[in-house]
Amino acid sequence: MNNLKFLALFLVATVTTNASADTSPQDPSFQLKTSLSELEAYEQPATNHQFYATERSKFAVTLFDPNNPADGDRLWSQTKLTFGLAVGAMGVIYLMPESWSNWDKDEVGSGNLMSNWWDNVSSGPVWDEDRWVINYIGHPYFGGVYYQTARNSGYDQWDSFIYSALMSTFYWEYGLEAFAEIPSIQDLIVTPVGGWIYGEWAHHKQKEIEARDGLVWGSKRWGNVALFFLDPVDNIGKGVNGLFGRDVVKTGTVRISPYPQHFQPVAHQEVKGYIGLDIELRF
């Protein structure tokens, strides 16, 4: 009996050793090699993005993790452009009637910006009385713009929501807008939550339009309009780059200026009644 066992083992070893080099998925030696390869890959440290992604919880905030496979450089470039555009948006709101903006222009233009900011930040947040179209359409839209900045940089929904919440809270409500008014309870909630709902829809709608070669209602022009409003930050850069046929614009800023570009002011000199919108693009 022992001899028979030895003979059987010998035959199995001989068949395995003399197996053809052209293995197939049905070949036991192929399956053995595959299993060993998978085991070795599993034992390796997490050096690739696929392994990294499966290791982390879907609720882990990986927005600032350098191992995140998303395009962090693009996100930072788009964030800088967003900073400038938001300053421009603040200038537009300042020019609106006070009945719409609820900003006290005398207070905003008093020159005591830091004092105004601290008073507003320390007094809030409060339930504001802005028009519903601003609170429940304007803020979710711009929350979606923030969201799209991260989503189109390759981040998942959770990270994009966190990015939108950080931007809308600290850059806008407790940042720029706090120079003009007390932070709003509605805006702190509606902007990131509404931005996530709208932004995710806009993200998929943008992909659909791009898959149709940029056509909306059979028109390239309407497609360009739709793409611009779905993700204005990205399309401002793309539009300028398209004029040159290459990536010449890295980022840009938009700011409100109290004097023309060609004007060289001396100390404390002003141009009475002038306000301008300056756009700067970095090549």
Side-chain angles (χ1 to χ4, degrees):
M1 183 61 68
N2 290 336
N3 290 337
L4 288 176
K5 289 182 179 179
F6 178 80
L7 178 60
L9 291 172
F10 176 80
L11 290 174
V12 171
T14 302
V15 170
T16 303
T17 303
N18 294 319
S20 170
D22 184 18
T23 58
S24 65
Q26 289 75 28
D27 191 324
S29 65
F30 177 87
Q31 295 174 0
L32 177 61
K33 292 175 183 176
T34 303
S35 298
L36 288 174
S37 298
E38 291 175 351
L39 180 60
E40 291 172 356
Y42 179 80
E43 291 176 345
Q44 293 297 320
T47 56
N48 60 75
H49 295 315
Q50 184 177 4
F51 185 85
Y52 164 83
T54 57
E55 278 291 292
R56 294 300 183 95
S57 165
K58 63 181 179 180
F59 295 112
V61 180
T62 60
L63 191 62
F64 307 107
D65 193 324
N67 290 322
N68 193 310
D71 191 345
D73 290 339
R74 180 189 183 279
L75 178 65
W76 175 233
S77 175
Q78 295 286 292
T79 300
K80 289 186 288 184
L81 182 56
T82 303
F83 285 168
L85 294 175
V87 172
M90 190 173 182
V92 171
I93 296 174
Y94 179 81
L95 296 176
M96 294 171 63
E98 290 187 17
S99 59
W100 275 87
S101 67
N102 281 339
W103 288 6
D104 186 339
K105 293 185 179 181
D106 292 334
E107 181 180 341
V108 175
S110 65
N112 301 318
L113 288 180
M114 292 309 301
S115 177
N116 292 342
W117 178 85
W118 178 249
D119 290 343
N120 288 333
V121 166
S122 59
S123 301
V126 297
W127 193 266
D128 73 37
E129 297 181 359
D130 289 346
R131 293 173 182 258
W132 69 268
V133 69
I134 293 177
N135 276 341
Y136 303 112
I137 294 180
H139 277 277
Y141 173 76
F142 283 102
V145 171
Y146 298 141
Y147 182 94
Q148 278 276 71
T149 298
R151 198 74 169 96
N152 283 339
S153 296
Y155 291 87
D156 60 20
Q157 290 191 45
W158 177 242
D159 275 342
S160 300
F161 171 78
I162 295 298
Y163 175 83
S164 177
L166 290 173
M167 289 289 287
S168 63
T169 299
F170 297 106
Y171 178 62
W172 186 254
E173 285 298 314
Y174 281 88
L176 290 179
E177 195 176 36
F179 287 106
E181 66 177 34
I182 300 172
S184 161
I185 294 174
Q186 302 105 297
D187 297 347
L188 289 170
I189 299 171
V190 170
T191 307
V193 174
W196 164 60
I197 296 171
Y198 164 73
E200 187 62 20
W201 173 86
H203 175 71
H204 290 284
K205 186 58 65 175
Q206 179 179 351
K207 298 303 179 186
E208 289 178 15
I209 295 173
E210 291 172 346
R212 294 197 302 266
D213 197 27
L215 297 177
V216 169
W217 298 328
S219 168
K220 193 81 172 180
R221 179 174 298 178
W222 281 115
N224 290 335
V225 172
L227 288 173
F228 175 82
F229 284 103
L230 288 171
D231 189 358
V233 176
D234 187 47
N235 282 279
I236 286 175
K238 284 182 178 179
V240 176
N241 289 340
L243 293 176
F244 291 88
R246 57 192 178 92
D247 292 338
V248 294
V249 176
K250 305 303 181 184
T251 185
T253 58
V254 181
R255 62 181 178 271
I256 302 299
S257 176
Y259 48 81
Q261 282 283 352
H262 63 272
F263 179 73
Q264 298 296 327
V266 297
H268 306 296
Q269 185 178 2
E270 297 180 356
V271 178
K272 297 295 184 181
Y274 178 88
I275 186 168
L277 183 66
D278 296 339
I279 301 176
E280 176 185 341
L281 299 175
R282 295 189 179 91
F283 297 85

